[in-house]
């Protein structure tokens, strides 16, 4: 996702960005003069030829993370998981392979043992998951 906007603070809620590949910037989100607000998001398993990160920010960008898991990043903010720890892998059912991007392959549902389960906030979250199960305990 490459973001340049007249709205310098877009809000991204309850999103998973995975299995993407970029030749420039970051494979997940590339911010140019933009400081998005990310809440209850997972960015994992993306690739870039230039930057080994999920998120690239130019000098005028500074995202705000709450209850997020971002690979290779330990963002400051409320409720975030440390994405630099191997133990915080979100454990998708089937991790999409960024080498085959763009693709619809993969299953981004979390395995029962995922550290991301119940790690988000119920505020603005849907009441059920993709399978129709109650999402919030």
């Amino acid at each position: 996702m490459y973001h340049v906007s007249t709205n310098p603070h877009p809000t991204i809620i309850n999103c998973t960005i995975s299995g993407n590949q970029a030749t420039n910037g970051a494979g997940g989100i590339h911010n140019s003069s933009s400081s998005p607000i990310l809440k209850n998001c997972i960015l994992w398993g993306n690739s870039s030829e230039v930057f080994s990160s999920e998120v690239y920010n130019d000098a005028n960008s500074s995202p705000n993370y709450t209850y997020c898991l971002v690979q290779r990043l330990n963002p400051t903010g409320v409720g975030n998981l440390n994405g630099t720890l191997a133990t915080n892998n979100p454990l998708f059912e089937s991790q999409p392979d960024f080498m085959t991007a763009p693709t619809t392959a993969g299953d981004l549902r979390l395995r029962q043992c995922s550290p991301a389960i119940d790690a988000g906030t119920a505020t603005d979250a849907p009441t059920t998951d993709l399978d129709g199960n109650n999402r919030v305990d």
Side-chain angles (χ1 to χ4, degrees):
M1 175 185 303
Y2 182 77
H3 187 261
V4 179
S5 176
T6 55
N7 174 2
H9 306 291
T11 301
I12 303 168
I13 303 173
N14 304 320
C15 290
T16 299
I17 299 172
S18 182
N20 299 289
Q21 184 177 36
T23 56
N24 203 355
I29 296 176
H30 181 125
N31 294 307
S32 180
S33 297
S34 175
S35 296
I37 299 163
L38 290 95
K39 182 174 168 183
N40 282 355
C41 293
I42 299 173
L43 284 84
W44 199 275
N46 299 289
S47 179
S48 169
E49 292 178 13
V50 179
F51 301 100
S52 63
S53 64
E54 301 295 303
V55 179
Y56 173 78
N57 302 302
D58 69 11
N60 299 317
S61 300
S62 180
N64 179 328
Y65 302 94
T66 57
Y67 298 97
C68 291
L69 174 55
V70 182
Q71 189 175 15
R72 295 181 292 276
L73 185 65
N74 185 17
T76 59
V78 176
N80 295 311
L81 294 175
N82 184 344
T84 66
L85 301 176
T87 54
N88 280 337
N89 181 322
L91 301 173
F92 298 128
E93 286 290 337
S94 174
Q95 171 73 48
D97 182 2
F98 63 81
M99 293 298 290
T100 62
T103 181
T104 57
D107 184 345
L108 299 179
R109 292 176 226 198
L110 301 174
R111 294 185 206 161
Q112 286 296 319
C113 56
S114 171
I117 290 180
D118 292 333
T121 178
T123 305
D124 297 323
T127 57
T128 58
D129 65 15
L130 295 174
D131 293 323
N133 299 318
N134 288 336
R135 190 163 183 257
V136 179
D137 291 333

